[in-house]
Amino acid sequence: IVRGYCQLSTQRIDQAITSLQKAYGLDPQKPEIQYFLGQAYVLSEDYRNAITYYEYALLNGFVGEAEVRLLIGDAALRSDQPQIALEQYNVLLAMDEASIAVYQGLIETYMSLGQLEKARSAAKDVVDLYPERGEAHQLLGLVSLHMEREDEARIALKKALELNPYLPEAQELLRSL
């Protein structure tokens, strides 16, 4: 596992996968090995295998459930599995892990499914939870822009930049209006 971790840390992904698979063969119940295999598969853009190993890590008691669920959601979105992503984000919300990152994943998932009203509702929720965070307002601006609510998008994006002038995506979205 140490060799695989070192190879992973130095971006030798194929070697890391080989080393971690050997460690997994020796101890298939160790959640840390499964977690690192998930990380390695994400870096190799094999998101389906990443999801599998992240799920194994959860089943075997990996400490840091919220982090792993967020990683599963991200990998699921990248591999065009929005239902898996939606499931993970909803579990995180039920666990009271309502970070902006969780809402961002949830909103991106709703948008990928064409459920813009749900995305807008989630964006409003994140603004209510984090009114002082520019990133929250940026999410509302993004959804509003996709819904062609330009005035709402403009207001949200200006607020995002007022709170945090270092949000390049908000700047770019505002320029696109």
Side-chain angles (χ1 to χ4, degrees):
I1 188 168
V2 173
R3 176 181 288 167
Y5 175 76
C6 290
Q7 291 164 333
L8 187 61
S9 297
T10 58
Q11 299 295 307
R12 294 179 292 167
I13 308 308
D14 291 336
Q15 293 169 328
I17 290 172
T18 299
S19 295
L20 291 165
Q21 283 290 359
K22 286 180 184 176
Y24 179 73
L26 295 172
D27 190 355
Q29 300 295 313
K30 191 164 185 74
E32 293 80 9
I33 295 170
Q34 296 157 343
Y35 172 82
F36 287 126
L37 271 167
Q39 295 286 63
Y41 280 117
V42 163
L43 292 172
S44 71
E45 298 182 3
D46 183 349
Y47 301 112
R48 291 182 188 271
N49 268 330
I51 291 168
T52 299
Y53 283 102
Y54 285 145
E55 287 175 340
Y56 289 163
L58 284 178
L59 289 172
N60 287 307
F62 185 80
V63 175
E65 179 180 355
E67 175 191 352
V68 174
R69 289 193 181 280
L70 196 57
L71 291 169
I72 291 171
D74 183 58
L77 272 178
R78 292 176 186 228
S79 62
D80 198 30
Q81 299 181 76
Q83 292 301 332
I84 292 173
L86 193 58
E87 177 183 308
Q88 296 304 313
Y89 297 127
N90 282 320
V91 168
L92 286 164
L93 291 176
M95 294 170 51
D96 287 331
E97 294 288 338
S99 67
I100 291 177
V102 170
Y103 274 100
Q104 181 176 351
L106 181 66
I107 289 164
E108 288 175 4
T109 303
Y110 281 140
M111 289 174 61
S112 76
L113 292 168
Q115 297 177 1
L116 296 180
E117 283 299 331
K118 287 185 177 181
R120 183 170 177 255
S121 176
K124 286 184 170 194
D125 289 345
V126 75
V127 166
D128 289 343
L129 284 170
Y130 298 100
E132 75 291 344
R133 298 283 304 274
E135 297 88 344
H137 294 273
Q138 176 180 290
L139 288 170
L140 179 58
L142 174 68
V143 174
S144 299
L145 191 60
H146 279 275
M147 294 180 78
E148 299 180 2
R149 296 172 175 251
E150 291 184 5
D151 290 339
E152 184 178 86
R154 186 174 288 107
I155 291 167
L157 293 168
K158 283 182 177 180
K159 181 68 174 178
L161 291 170
E162 176 186 312
L163 293 168
N164 182 351
Y166 304 104
L167 293 173
E169 185 178 351
Q171 293 170 351
E172 189 176 312
L173 290 170
L174 191 57
R175 278 194 296 269
S176 74
L177 287 171

